[in-house]
Amino acid sequence: MELNSFGMFIIFFFFSVLQASDGRILQRSKRGWMWNQFFLLEEYTGNDHQYVGKLHSNMDKGDGNVRYVLTGDGAGTLFLIDEKSGDIHATKRLDREEKAMYTLVAKVLDRTTNAELEPDTEFNIKIHDINDNAPKFEKEIYFASVPEMSEVGTSVATITATDADDQTYGNSAKLVYSILQGQPYFSVDSENGTIKTALPGMDREVKENYQVVIQAKDMAGQMGGLSGTTTVSITLSDVNDSPPRFANHSFRVTAVESTEIGGAIGRIKADDPDVGRNAEMEYSIVGGHDIFNIITDQTTQEGVIIIKKALDYENKRDYEFRVEVKNTYLDARFIHGLQFKDYATVKVTVEDVDEPPVFTRNPYIIEVHEDTAAGSFVGVVSARDPDADNKPVKYSIDRHTDLERLFNIDSVNGTITTLKALDREMSKWHNISVVATEINNPRQTTRVPVFIKVLDVNDNAPEFAMSYDTFVCENVKAGQLIQTISAVDTDEPLVGHKFVFSISPTNPNFTIVDREDNTANILTKRGGFSRREMSMYFLPVVISDNDYPIQSSTSTLIVRVCACDSRGNMQTCNPEVLPFSDGLTTGALVAILLCVIILLMIVVLFAALRRQRKKEPLIISKEDVRDNVVSYNDEGGGEEDTQAFDIGTLRNPEVMDANKLRRDIIPEMLFPFRRTSPIKDNTDVRDFINGRLQENDSDPTAPPYDSLATYAYEGSGSLAESLSSLESAATEGDHDYDYLSNWGPQFKKLAEMYIGKSPDRET
């Protein structure tokens, strides 16, 4: 109610200046028949419309002929005008923070003619602010940090709030900041919201996080103003104000002597309450050490003790050294009065392990002459147990490195001897492995390579370097060069080869001249050779070396006599084939190949002749065994069986009806076919056969359907015995059927079939 009365007072105040003392509306200029601005406080009026002001024209005589019209911002929705009286009302609460001023246009019309009585006049309705908005912070919680040990008054962060009320009108938007929680550690500037440290020497290691509550209040902090709060989480960031310290200034480490170089034997750790790079440390051994070193594990900030040289329990068992730790990064503000390093003593105890034997040398290189007799001395290897108890050692040769078993070793003293004679020309080096094993602990073994060099002995005689094809012309003269020869030797003397060539001095045909460079020239001793007298000469050449003992050999040089032209070029020689030292001649190989071809042709011809001699078998098809039974309709059952049963009972009725020709007998058109009527009283044979068929059909172990089942029901006493060809010998050779003619007249036709063959069938 107080706000409404105040608003009415403002409106009436402005309208009072428009009226004269006689009660008439104040006359104004042509375009200004009304006041151009109204003021309205933002407020809520309940269900009634809020009165804004009144429009009145001097053309209005009060007789109801004037109509007021309102257009512009919110006209007809937010603002309504009484057409007769010109009173303006607001339909709902007006919020300055939503819209601070509305511009409208007023019109005066004649109600009857709708003509404008006054010019259109624009006016504003300005909303005056009231303190209806509390200060607000952008976030509910802020995060900030400040280094620990900061001085008092160090700025941490500036936290400000906003107020939607009018900044230019009154104190509705004038904010004052205060701290509700976080004292005495922090303070806040009441005007700008800057948070500062308020307590000296705040230590992160004591307390790291603080929760500070800041309040912003409008109306310059006066009573009745609105307020808002927020929380600021302040973290003390770390500075290097704490040096590293060992919790224990003495460490004991145990290491086995078999630890490899570079291996770690232990870790030590110093404590630093700082974090990040302020807690990074570096370890070192004071004065250094020959056996040990210490490095820093950057992940765990531990000092790792490693081995620089191999440990030996038998030589030294205890070590002691001093370790220093210090920060790698220092803060100049805190180094005064504090020593940012610490020291600790490390004692290392070496433990004994059972070590394998150790050879005095590695590897061994031994020299031995070739052709040394089996069992000869080669060399000695030696190994010992490095442990304190010095256990005995035995020796052996790894036979995988001595597959030919050329060497042997004494298992007690390590003496190597030969098992076979060595040949340098076969192998100049022998690489074997000798294994030393502790007798009390066979798992402790060590192997060492032994390189045995075979020294050369002059045991090979020199020989021709190649096979020579030498000829001499018939018209040659005495002293003519016909061949230059050289020699090779598989031995390797220390001073190089020196060969001496010689032939018999009594040789009347040829002579030799040593060129002193391991070659020699063969010269003719006379002229006028003749192929008719001798077409080939064999010249023995003796080649000797200069090593000890001297080795020599005799190689034969074959010299052919050939016809030559006047320039000495060979034209023809004796066609006699010369024997090659490397194998057969080309002519001999060709002769052998021709013989092999002839033998192959003979074998092929013989096989072709044997195939032509084969005759066509009586029974062509071997696929269907059931069709390979030859039936003879006029066969008797034997002397004791004059009433033989009809073999047609065994046949398939479908085959009989089809009247097909059999493949295994001569067609019936050559020989008349006579069928005997089936005997009706042969039921015993039919029953016997049916019974046997059922037994075979129901027997799972019986042979397949195309196998032959023998039914021994043939008449007994027959001289012909069985006439079936199934049990006869399976041969494709010629058969003699003359014995069929001796069986009587009943077998006459059978004899004619097999003996009296027609010429066409023979062909």
Side-chain angles (χ1 to χ4, degrees):
M1 296 300 295
E2 294 179 356
L3 292 176
N4 292 336
S5 300
F6 180 76
M8 293 297 294
F9 171 78
I10 296 298
I11 297 300
F12 289 141
F13 171 79
F14 283 109
F15 270 95
S16 63
V17 299
L18 299 178
Q19 293 181 344
S21 59
D22 58 355
R24 295 181 301 168
I25 300 299
L26 182 65
Q27 297 294 326
R28 307 191 59 182
S29 63
K30 183 178 180 180
R31 300 291 298 178
W33 56 272
M34 60 164 291
W35 195 256
N36 64 349
Q37 186 163 322
F38 296 95
F39 292 92
L40 181 65
L41 288 175
E42 57 176 338
E43 62 180 3
Y44 182 73
T45 61
N47 295 327
D48 296 333
H49 291 177
Q50 182 180 1
Y51 180 78
V52 177
K54 182 179 180 63
L55 298 181
H56 186 76
S57 172
N58 56 3
M59 301 298 294
D60 187 0
K61 305 301 181 179
D63 54 4
N65 291 328
V66 175
R67 183 167 65 93
Y68 296 95
V69 178
L70 189 64
T71 61
D73 293 341
T77 56
L78 292 179
F79 303 100
L80 300 178
I81 188 170
D82 191 329
E83 293 182 350
K84 294 181 179 181
S85 64
D87 294 336
I88 302 174
H89 293 82
T91 61
K92 63 178 182 180
R93 177 183 182 274
L94 300 178
D95 190 357
R96 189 204 64 83
E97 286 72 40
E98 183 178 346
K99 191 175 181 65
M101 187 173 63
Y102 296 87
T103 301
L104 296 98
V105 177
K107 294 183 179 182
V108 180
L109 305 177
D110 185 277
R111 183 176 297 274
T112 302
T113 63
N114 221 19
E116 291 188 2
L117 302 177
E118 294 280 356
D120 295 347
T121 300
E122 183 181 278
F123 66 96
N124 298 325
I125 298 177
K126 186 174 182 181
I127 310 302
H128 266 292
D129 183 47
I130 63 173
N131 189 20
D132 59 345
N133 292 280
K136 291 184 179 180
F137 290 94
E138 183 179 355
K139 300 179 182 178
E140 293 183 359
I141 183 170
Y142 291 86
F143 296 92
S145 65
V146 63
E148 62 174 333
M149 299 296 177
S150 297
E151 298 180 357
V152 175
T154 302
S155 177
V156 178
T158 299
I159 308 298
T160 59
T162 58
D163 196 322
D165 293 324
D166 192 355
Q167 302 285 338
T168 63
Y169 179 76
N171 294 327
S172 298
K174 187 175 183 180
L175 305 181
V176 174
Y177 298 92
S178 62
I179 184 167
L180 301 182
Q181 178 183 327
Q183 297 173 333
Y185 306 102
F186 299 95
S187 63
V188 63
D189 192 305
S190 61
E191 294 183 0
N192 55 26
T194 301
I195 303 173
K196 301 179 180 180
T197 58
L199 192 67
M202 286 190 295
D203 193 353
R204 187 200 63 85
E205 287 75 31
V206 176
K207 186 176 180 180
E208 185 175 4
N209 297 312
Y210 296 86
Q211 300 295 326
V212 178
V213 178
I214 302 298
Q215 181 190 64
K217 191 174 183 180
D218 59 11
M219 298 299 291
Q222 297 177 6
M223 184 176 297
L226 303 178
S227 64
T229 61
T230 187
T231 301
V232 182
S233 179
I234 301 176
T235 302
L236 297 183
S237 60
D238 185 59
V239 297
N240 192 12
D241 59 339
S242 300
R245 291 288 182 263
F246 284 109
N248 186 1
H249 288 78
S250 179
F251 295 89
R252 184 172 295 275
V253 179
T254 301
V256 294
E257 63 173 333
S258 59
T259 304
E260 297 181 355
I261 296 177
I265 63 173
R267 290 171 175 255
I268 62 175
K269 181 73 166 62
D271 299 324
D272 192 332
D274 296 322
V275 294
R277 70 170 185 172
N278 296 321
E280 293 179 359
M281 295 174 282
E282 181 181 11
Y283 298 85
S284 61
I285 297 178
V286 179
H289 203 279
D290 295 336
I291 307 298
F292 303 99
N293 190 18
I294 187 169
I295 60 176
T296 304
D297 188 334
Q298 299 297 334
T299 303
T300 62
Q301 294 301 313
E302 293 177 316
V304 183
I305 303 174
I306 61 175
I307 302 295
K308 290 172 58 177
K309 292 183 180 180
L311 301 177
D312 191 354
Y313 173 82
E314 287 70 29
N315 290 336
K316 190 172 183 179
R317 306 179 183 181
D318 296 298
Y319 297 88
E320 182 176 333
F321 50 87
R322 198 176 183 208
V323 175
E324 177 188 83
V325 61
K326 61 181 180 180
N327 284 130
T328 57
Y329 170 76
L330 299 178
D331 193 332
R333 296 176 298 171
F334 305 101
I335 60 176
H336 302 289
L338 287 177
Q339 187 176 14
F340 278 78
K341 60 178 64 176
D342 200 9
Y343 300 91
T345 301
V346 178
K347 296 181 180 180
V348 180
T349 300
V350 181
E351 290 184 349
D352 187 29
V353 294
D354 191 3
E355 301 176 85
V358 177
F359 283 93
T360 57
R361 292 161 54 191
N362 188 2
Y364 286 87
I365 300 178
I366 302 175
E367 295 181 349
V368 60
H369 286 86
E370 65 175 329
D371 297 335
T372 302
S376 300
F377 173 81
V378 176
V380 178
V381 297
S382 177
R384 66 176 184 83
D385 182 12
D387 297 322
D389 49 4
N390 194 15
K391 298 175 183 178
V393 176
K394 65 177 181 179
Y395 304 92
S396 62
I397 294 178
D398 184 355
R399 290 305 173 184
H400 292 90
T401 62
D402 185 23
L403 298 177
E404 298 179 0
R405 301 185 70 86
L406 299 176
F407 304 96
N408 190 26
I409 190 170
D410 191 298
S411 61
V412 178
N413 56 28
T415 301
I416 301 175
T417 57
T418 57
L419 291 175
K420 299 178 182 178
L422 305 179
D423 188 358
R424 191 201 65 84
E425 285 69 40
M426 295 296 294
S427 180
K428 300 179 181 179
W429 286 89
H430 296 278
N431 304 332
I432 64 175
S433 293
V434 175
V435 181
T437 307
E438 288 186 9
I439 296 178
N440 297 337
N441 187 5
R443 293 179 299 179
Q444 295 294 339
T445 61
T446 304
R447 60 178 59 237
V448 67
V450 179
F451 304 109
I452 301 176
K453 182 179 181 180
V454 182
L455 300 178
D456 184 42
V457 174
N458 192 26
D459 55 350
N460 294 280
E463 57 187 10
F464 278 156
M466 57 182 293
S467 178
Y468 296 100
D469 184 12
T470 307
F471 70 93
V472 61
C473 296
E474 288 182 312
N475 56 357
V476 71
K477 298 181 180 179
Q480 186 72 37
L481 174 65
I482 62 173
Q483 185 68 60
T484 299
I485 59 175
S486 62
V488 293
D489 193 340
T490 57
D491 295 321
E492 292 184 359
L494 297 177
V495 296
H497 290 292
K498 176 61 180 177
F499 301 125
V500 177
F501 302 89
S502 63
I503 61 175
S504 175
T506 60
N507 190 313
N509 301 311
F510 304 99
T511 184
I512 190 170
V513 177
D514 196 336
R515 301 178 60 182
E516 303 295 333
D517 59 355
N518 293 333
T519 62
N521 292 333
I522 305 298
L523 307 176
T524 56
K525 203 172 185 178
R526 65 180 180 86
F529 290 86
S530 175
R531 285 184 295 165
R532 294 182 179 180
E533 296 179 359
M534 182 172 292
S535 62
M536 187 180 303
Y537 292 90
F538 297 92
L539 179 62
V541 179
V542 179
I543 308 174
S544 303
D545 57 21
N546 63 335
D547 205 355
Y548 180 82
I550 295 177
Q551 300 287 343
S552 63
S553 65
T554 300
S555 299
T556 301
L557 183 67
I558 301 175
V559 182
R560 294 181 297 161
V561 180
C562 301
C564 303
D565 56 14
S566 59
R567 298 181 180 179
N569 298 322
M570 180 182 65
Q571 292 181 338
T572 60
C573 293
N574 194 304
E576 182 178 353
V577 179
L578 297 179
F580 290 165
S581 59
D582 293 339
L584 298 176
T585 62
T586 304
L589 293 175
V590 173
I592 293 174
L593 183 60
L594 290 176
C595 293
V596 171
I597 294 175
I598 293 173
L599 289 176
L600 290 176
M601 294 177 62
I602 293 173
V603 171
V604 172
L605 181 63
F606 180 75
L609 292 176
R610 283 187 58 85
R611 177 167 299 205
Q612 290 181 0
R613 292 179 57 189
K614 294 181 181 180
K615 296 182 178 180
E616 183 181 2
L618 178 63
I619 301 176
I620 299 174
S621 174
K622 298 181 182 180
E623 298 178 356
D624 192 354
V625 179
R626 295 173 297 176
D627 291 343
N628 294 339
V629 179
V630 182
S631 64
Y632 307 97
N633 296 327
D634 55 347
E635 180 184 359
E639 286 75 12
E640 298 179 4
D641 186 12
T642 59
Q643 300 293 331
F645 63 89
D646 185 14
I647 195 68
T649 306
L650 301 178
R651 296 182 179 177
N652 191 333
E654 296 179 359
V655 178
M656 295 172 58
D657 296 339
N659 195 20
K660 297 179 180 179
L661 296 178
R662 296 289 298 270
R663 294 179 298 171
D664 53 346
I665 61 175
I666 299 176
E668 293 180 354
M669 14 183 151
L670 298 179
F671 302 95
F673 178 79
R674 291 178 299 173
R675 178 185 296 278
T676 305
S677 300
I679 302 175
K680 301 299 182 180
D681 57 350
N682 55 1
T683 57
D684 57 340
V685 176
R686 186 180 292 106
D687 295 338
F688 173 78
I689 294 175
N690 291 333
R692 292 297 299 273
L693 286 174
Q694 292 178 0
E695 291 177 4
N696 284 274
D697 292 339
S698 59
D699 186 6
T701 61
Y705 72 93
D706 56 349
S707 299
L708 178 65
T710 303
Y711 306 105
Y713 198 79
E714 187 176 357
S716 61
S718 175
L719 294 176
E721 297 179 352
S722 176
L723 297 180
S724 173
S725 64
L726 297 176
E727 295 180 358
S728 62
T731 176
E732 295 182 355
D734 296 333
H735 292 277
D736 186 10
Y737 299 101
D738 294 336
Y739 59 89
L740 296 176
S741 60
N742 299 327
W743 285 3
Q746 59 269 39
F747 299 103
K748 180 178 179 181
K749 183 175 290 188
L750 182 64
E752 291 176 356
M753 291 174 59
Y754 282 87
I755 299 176
K757 298 180 180 179
S758 64
D760 295 336
R761 184 170 181 85
E762 286 294 329
T763 304

